[in-house]
Amino acid sequence: MNKITNIVVAGLGGQGVLKASDIIADVAFLAGFDVKKSETHGMSQRGGSVSSDIRFGEHVFSPMVPDGEADFLVVLTADQVEVNAAALSSCGVLVEPSQVDETKLGNKKSINVALLGTLSRHLKFSDEQWIEAIKRNLPEALHATNIEAFHTAKNAGVTS
Amino acid sequence: MDNKGKQLLNGDEAVAAAAFDAGITLGTGYPGTPSTEILEEFERLGGHAQWAPNEKVALEVGIGVAIAGGRTVVTMKHVGLNVAADPLFTVALMDIPGALVIVSADDPGMSSSQNEQDNRRYAVAAGVVMLEPSDAQEAYEFTLRAIEIAECWHLPVMLRLTTRVCHSKTLVMREGVSVPQSRVPEYVRNVSRRSMIPANARPAHKKLRESLAQIAQWNERSGPTEVIAGSGTLGIITSGISYQHVREAAPEASVLKIGMTHPLPMETIERFAATVDRCIAIEEGDPYLYEAIRTAGIEVEDKPSMYRFGELNIQRVRRIIAGDCSTEAKPVPGKPPALCPGCPHRTVFTSLKALNCIVSGDIGCYGLGVLPPFEAIDISVCMGASIGVGLGLRHALAEPEAKRVISVIGDGTFFHSGLTGIAEMVYNPPKTGHVVLLLDNGTTAMTGMQEHPGTGRTLDHHKTGKILIEEVIKSMGIKNVHIVDATRDPAAFEGLIQSSLDKSELSVIINRRPCLLAVKSIKEYEKCNEQNN
Ligand SMILES: Cc1ncc(C[n+]2csc(CCOP(=O)(O)OP(=O)(O)O)c2C)c(N)n1
Ligand code: SF4
């Protein structure tokens, strides 16, 4: 059976939406899945709404997640939840900043990667695969803080 | 499952990879979303890429490379092809031994463009061969095939991408795709096929039509066409990204996917249509396939007209198939983009609003001056239009209103197509004079901080010739040239604008302050270039 996992990452320009989606696409890639990732980033630098779709499975055709069919919606800032809510399926999981204790992050900017830690609890990728994907998509100077952010959120007691 | 030997690339990166693997002599183009990353990535891979001052010049440079027998990709966004249309229509008639691949990145849905023109129409109008990939793997393969076809037929080839192909990452396997062998450029004279005076262009036009007929035959036999056998009840003819949505929305359908969409493989289409009960053309944008197929006398359905607007997706394809024309759910409006806090354009628009100017605007970050809180721009058409449109307003309006008109243009846009506007202003000055406000933020910010002839740095940020805007403008005959920084002294700026509007003379006010997001990199490039001196 060709079950496709649909993930939407959303937020505002400059928050690291595209980085987070690159890391998810890469972890699926490393795990051997067919994967497609799409994004609208024309004006993303100017602080407007940005979102990115990731789809993986045995074989993926369209790079866009149909509305109401996202298994996971990862939103980087609370005020963008409503804007993107229509993406989520009725049994989908919302991952949002309130599920992460921001005070425990070395750098608040790592919230995008921290939320991947939260997301990772629902997906069957190994920690090694996640770490590898994080490393492949961030400059070396940022590896330590982000890997820590990932673990902090992943191991937090808060569940969604 | 294993992804060994594969890479996850977006369409732009895949075109760049193909250009690199094929040993492209020179990549040239002009920045524009969603095409910009092609040349940046090509350069990063180690290729030689340049930004031209505009798309027309880029295409002309590309024509030269290909006449010399070299290989080139010339990249631009869809509206860029309007600027390059003049050379496009004539190079189509010529014999060019090298590979001239013109990449047009269309933007259905206008994620960041001023219109959603469908450049498949250009392929027909100019008589240019066109390939349309549907994902990054095909973007890679079709770029290589475009090079092959160009060199085989001595004709330019257009590669039409769309935003979703450019900006979607999909798996790409470079291994196993045959790369056409490249040759060393050398000049071979062939005046009758390269100098398009009427006596040469007349036979050349006939020759082009013959070649296109032959290429159509080749497309029937060996073109990048795919047939997916389905139930036979429903047949879908499609191309590009629409194919991907179709396969998911209608897994049971028979599908004909056309890779070379000009000239079309009409016999293949006819045979396919005959095998299905219901045949429908599913394509983003204009009813291009539909019209061509109907004109050939083949029975096919068009999508309902409401789906001509915007991008397609799985849901919309499902609706097209179901003939569902009910109102679509409106997306919840997101946060619109805005000028960055501290952006040098901000003070400018606050002042223009306060002075109650009639603002003829242009295309760039400063286009965001249209939106609240500024709402300071009255008109914006296309790159460079601010000056001509402003002059036209001045000619037509009575003096009190004419004197409120100001043209606002960026430094990047000035080099792209503002110079001729200044020439018009000096040559045909309105009675009330005119005021041009040139926003020099030291970069092409809107498309992601590209260099231009005024920055004195090449695409890869190395030192090169630098054109001083103020010197050019003075030498063109403008006497009142001021260089200011509105952010530093808003009151003085406002005073200068008002006094310039009051005079019946020609003035150019250059607001010089670097883009806040670019300033750090600019300093680094400059430091690096100084050290290398
Ligand atoms: C013909 C054409 N080519 C390319 C573009 C893409 N584009 C939009 S704005 C812009 C240039 C903006 O640069 P500048 O005028 O310096 O303004 P800034 O964004 O730096 O404020 C470009 C190249 C376009 N809209 N039209
Ligand atoms: S990117 Fe630069 S020019 Fe554009 S809005 Fe931001 S500061 Fe202004």
Side-chain angles (χ1 to χ4, degrees):
Chain A
M1 204 192 77
N2 184 22
K3 161 79 183 107
I4 293 174
T5 303
N6 291 321
I7 304 177
V8 174
V9 184
L12 297 175
Q15 290 181 328
V17 170
L18 303 182
K19 261 298 160 233
S21 64
D22 276 337
I23 294 170
I24 301 172
D26 218 23
V27 79
F29 170 78
L30 291 169
F33 287 103
D34 185 18
V35 49
K36 290 196 176 176
K37 187 204 112 139
S38 116
E39 64 203 27
T40 318
H41 63 162
M43 304 249 209
S44 58
Q45 250 160 343
R46 316 299 173 273
S49 297
V50 190
S51 76
S52 176
D53 297 358
I54 305 104
R55 315 186 72 211
F56 62 88
E58 208 171 300
H59 190 95
V60 183
F61 285 107
S62 172
M64 294 154 85
V65 174
D67 275 350
E69 295 185 23
D71 303 296
F72 302 95
L73 171 64
V74 182
V75 186
L76 272 49
T77 179
D79 64 10
Q80 291 297 300
V81 172
E82 198 196 320
V83 178
N84 295 284
L88 202 57
S89 95
S90 52
C91 51
V93 174
L94 174 68
V95 176
E96 56 173 330
S98 64
Q99 295 159 357
V100 171
D101 184 353
E102 279 195 50
T103 58
K104 294 220 171 89
L105 299 181
N107 182 340
K108 276 200 180 144
K109 280 201 160 165
S110 320
I111 184 72
N112 58 343
V113 177
L115 288 170
L116 298 185
T118 313
L119 172 73
S120 73
R121 288 190 244 143
H122 306 276
L123 298 172
K124 289 195 181 105
F125 302 121
S126 70
D127 271 13
E128 290 71 43
Q129 285 165 336
W130 278 106
I131 304 304
E132 164 99 22
I134 291 170
K135 284 186 177 165
R136 276 159 53 115
N137 286 280
L138 291 171
E140 206 174 329
L142 302 177
H143 286 179
T145 344
N146 281 282
I147 291 169
E148 199 190 302
F150 177 84
H151 285 304
T152 308
K154 179 170 185 188
N155 303 327
V158 211
T159 48
S160 47
Chain B
M1 278 182 295
D2 190 359
N3 284 327
K4 210 162 155 253
K6 294 182 189 164
Q7 286 170 281
L8 195 52
L9 300 180
N10 70 27
D12 283 350
E13 292 165 338
V15 172
F20 182 73
D21 291 347
I24 288 276
T25 319
L26 175 67
T28 174
Y30 188 74
T33 316
S35 70
T36 314
E37 296 94 319
I38 301 172
L39 290 187
E40 292 177 332
E41 176 67 10
F42 176 58
E43 194 277 330
R44 204 187 61 77
L45 291 171
H48 180 198
Q50 297 174 176
W51 291 128
N54 68 27
E55 294 85 353
K56 178 175 185 285
V57 177
L59 179 51
E60 289 155 352
V61 170
I63 292 171
V65 171
I67 285 178
R71 286 179 174 169
T72 181
V73 279
V74 183
T75 70
M76 60 196 71
K77 70 183 286 160
H78 61 345
V79 287
L81 202 54
N82 301 334
V83 179
D86 203 2
L88 175 74
F89 277 69
T90 302
V91 72
L93 304 177
M94 294 166 56
D95 173 283
I96 37 173
L100 173 59
V101 178
I102 302 159
V103 182
S104 163
D106 293 12
D107 190 14
M110 297 177 269
S111 78
S112 51
S113 303
Q114 66 265 39
N115 75 26
E116 58 181 337
Q117 70 185 54
D118 187 331
N119 279 3
R120 294 179 298 175
R121 305 283 198 194
Y122 265 120
V124 180
V128 174
V129 175
M130 180 172 60
L131 296 171
E132 281 190 78
S134 73
D135 62 13
Q137 178 70 45
E138 285 183 359
Y140 179 76
E141 290 175 18
F142 285 16
T143 303
L144 296 173
R145 296 296 78 80
I147 292 169
E148 240 163 30
I149 294 166
E151 288 177 353
C152 174
W153 299 91
H154 288 207
L155 288 172
V157 175
M158 220 172 116
L159 187 74
R160 179 190 182 243
L161 310 176
T162 54
T163 305
R164 283 292 160 183
V165 173
C166 293
H167 287 169
S168 292
K169 286 192 175 179
T170 71
L171 299 184
V172 176
M173 180 80 136
R174 285 156 84 171
E175 256 167 69
V177 181
S178 70
V179 176
Q181 200 88 54
S182 66
R183 293 166 297 188
V184 179
E186 66 170 326
Y187 187 65
V188 183
R189 200 158 186 257
N190 184 353
V191 179
S192 66
R193 295 302 326 279
R194 307 237 176 92
S195 123
M196 288 297 109
I197 55 169
N200 291 339
R202 282 185 203 110
H205 186 200
K206 290 193 181 131
K207 174 86 178 61
L208 169 65
R209 296 298 153 190
E210 281 163 24
S211 298
L212 287 173
Q214 287 165 8
I215 294 170
Q217 279 312 306
W218 176 87
N219 197 11
E220 303 281 1
R221 288 190 315 273
S222 327
T225 309
E226 261 179 72
V227 182
I228 314 295
S231 66
T233 331
L234 174 65
I236 296 172
I237 301 173
T238 187
S239 70
I241 191 71
S242 309
Y243 164 81
Q244 306 291 353
H245 307 318
V246 161
R247 287 304 306 282
E248 223 160 308
E252 74 299 337
S254 304
V255 179
L256 176 67
K257 168 164 155 291
I258 304 169
M260 182 190 278
T261 43
H262 188 255
L264 285 166
M266 210 48 91
E267 292 159 24
T268 309
I269 292 171
E270 187 164 18
R271 275 199 306 277
F272 173 82
T275 63
V276 295
D277 301 338
R278 177 186 175 209
C279 190
I280 173 165
I282 296 190
E283 54 191 322
E284 232 166 36
D286 289 1
Y288 165 79
L289 293 173
Y290 166 74
E291 285 174 4
I293 297 169
R294 278 311 300 262
T295 307
I298 301 163
E299 204 52 54
V300 66
E301 270 175 53
D302 188 12
K303 60 186 184 292
S305 59
M306 62 188 282
Y307 300 106
R308 180 179 186 154
F309 310 101
E311 289 188 288
L312 294 183
N313 53 35
I314 299 173
Q315 284 128 313
R316 295 190 97 199
V317 171
R318 285 182 193 138
R319 289 171 62 108
I320 291 170
I321 293 167
D324 184 350
C325 293
S326 62
T327 314
E328 294 173 274
K330 265 215 185 87
V332 183
K335 187 167 173 264
L339 291 174
C340 303
C343 170
H345 300 331
R346 283 186 162 260
T347 337
V348 168
F349 288 119
T350 310
S351 296
L352 296 183
K353 182 85 182 164
L355 294 172
N356 192 26
C357 291
I358 298 172
V359 179
S360 174
D362 224 300
I363 316 277
C365 274
Y366 46 88
L368 294 168
V370 173
L371 302 175
F374 307 105
E375 297 175 276
I377 293 179
D378 290 83
I379 302 154
S380 58
V381 187
C382 63
M383 282 186 82
S386 59
I387 301 177
V389 172
L391 291 168
L393 287 165
R394 286 241 177 193
H395 287 302
L397 292 171
E399 179 159 344
E401 281 198 316
K403 287 192 133 182
R404 288 168 51 207
V405 178
I406 185 165
S407 295
V408 179
I409 186 167
D411 52 339
T413 302
F414 171 73
F415 285 108
H416 177 277
S417 45
L419 284 154
T420 42
I422 299 286
E424 167 70 6
M425 173 159 126
V426 174
Y427 184 50
N428 294 310
K431 277 202 201 72
T432 56
H434 191 45
V435 181
V436 172
L437 177 55
L438 203 153
L439 305 181
D440 181 6
N441 60 357
T443 186
T444 317
M446 183 74 187
T447 45
M449 327 298 164
Q450 285 74 30
E451 307 288 0
H452 61 64
T455 68
R457 291 179 303 271
T458 55
L459 180 143
D460 61 353
H461 314 295
H462 288 108
K463 193 175 167 147
T464 185
K466 173 174 175 153
I467 305 176
L468 285 175
I469 298 174
E470 55 273 32
E471 295 303 323
V472 174
I473 290 174
K474 278 184 206 156
S475 69
M476 287 176 87
I478 307 281
K479 294 200 181 60
N480 305 310
V481 179
H482 307 271
I483 300 172
V484 296
D485 179 356
T487 310
R488 187 162 287 172
D489 191 348
F493 174 74
E494 239 174 83
L496 177 64
I497 298 273
Q498 189 58 61
S499 64
S500 303
L501 289 168
D502 289 343
K503 280 197 258 213
S504 290
E505 292 176 12
L506 302 178
S507 306
V508 174
I509 299 166
I510 302 171
N511 187 57
R512 183 163 288 155
R513 187 182 181 89
C515 157
L516 204 72
L517 295 195
V519 67
K520 206 171 135 209
S521 317
I522 293 176
K523 278 195 186 130
E524 273 163 27
Y525 304 145
E526 287 295 310
K527 208 169 116 195
C528 213
N529 287 337
E530 247 167 57
Q531 280 164 1
N532 292 342
N533 243 354

